[in-house]
C-alpha cells in the first residue's frame, strides 16, 4: 500500500477515536474528569510530532497530529470555561 | 535538533499523557466510562501507524505507537475483566 495512504488512514482512525471525548465534554458542559496537566503534556507532545512531520516532510504526520492539537486545544479551552462555571 | 531525538521526545510526551487513564482504571478497577468500540478504533489506527513506521523505517514512530498499542490493549483487557465483574 502507498505509505501516504496508510498514514492518512492511520491518522483518520486515531483522530476519530478521540472525538467521543470531545463530544461528551461539549454536550455535558463538564470537563472535571480531565486533567489540565495531562492535556498540556499531550499538546506539547503532539506539537513536537507536527514539527517532526515538517522536518521529515511527511504530510500524514503533520495532518493527523495537527488535527489532534486542535481537538486537544478545544478540550483545554473547555476545561477552563466549564471549571470556572462550576 | 536531530529528527530522531525530536520524535522520541514527542513520543515520550504523548505516551506519558495517556498513563493517568491506565493508572486510574487499574486503581479503581472500573472501566465503565471507556468505550470498547473507540478503543478498537484507536488500536487499529495505532497499529497502522506502527506499520507506517516500519515501511518508512522510522524508529520514533514505531516505538511510540507500539507503546501506545500496548497501553490500549491493556485498557481493552481491563474493560472486559472489570465489566464482567460489575
Amino acid at each position: 500500500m502507498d505509505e501516504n495512504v496508510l498514514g492518512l488512514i492511520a491518522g483518520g482512525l486515531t483522530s476519530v477515536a478521540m472525538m467521543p471525548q470531545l463530544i461528551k465534554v461539549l454536550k455535558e458542559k463538564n470537563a472535571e474528569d480531565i486533567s489540565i496537566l495531562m492535556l498540556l503534556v499531550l499538546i506539547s507532545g503532539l506539537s513536537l510530532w507536527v514539527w517532526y512531520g515538517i522536518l521529515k516532510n511527511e504530510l500524514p504526520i503533520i495532518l493527523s497530529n495537527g488535527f489532534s492539537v486542535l481537538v486537544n486545544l478545544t478540550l483545554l479551552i473547555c476545561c477552563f470555561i466549564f471549571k470556572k462555571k462550576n
Side-chain angles (χ1 to χ4, degrees), chain A residues 45-58:
Chain A
L46 292 167
S47 306
L48 291 184
W49 275 123
V50 174
W51 186 11
Y52 177 93
I54 292 170
L55 286 182
K56 290 252 181 187
N57 201 15
E58 290 180 42

Side-chain angles (χ1 to χ4, degrees), chain A residues 8 12 17-18 27 42-43 53 56 72 75 79:
Chain A
L8 288 174
M18 63 179 154
K27 258 192 186 168
L42 188 59
I43 290 168
K56 290 252 181 187
N72 286 291
L75 276 176
C79 278

Side-chain angles (χ1 to χ4, degrees), chain A residues 2-80:
Chain A
D2 181 61
E3 289 156 0
N4 282 326
V5 176
L6 178 63
L8 288 174
I9 297 173
L13 288 175
T14 46
S15 299
V16 162
M18 63 179 154
M19 293 313 290
Q21 167 87 81
L22 180 64
I23 293 168
K24 186 168 185 275
V25 167
L26 289 175
K27 258 192 186 168
E28 299 179 0
K29 299 198 190 309
N30 184 349
E32 265 177 39
D33 289 341
I34 292 177
S35 155
I36 287 178
L37 176 68
M38 280 309 124
L39 269 184
L40 289 175
V41 173
L42 188 59
I43 290 168
S44 315
L46 292 167
S47 306
L48 291 184
W49 275 123
V50 174
W51 186 11
Y52 177 93
I54 292 170
L55 286 182
K56 290 252 181 187
N57 201 15
E58 290 180 42
L59 204 62
I61 293 182
I62 300 170
L63 286 181
S64 67
N65 289 292
F67 179 76
S68 300
V69 169
L70 287 183
V71 170
N72 286 291
L73 273 180
T74 311
L75 276 176
L76 188 66
I77 294 167
C78 287
C79 278
F80 284 114

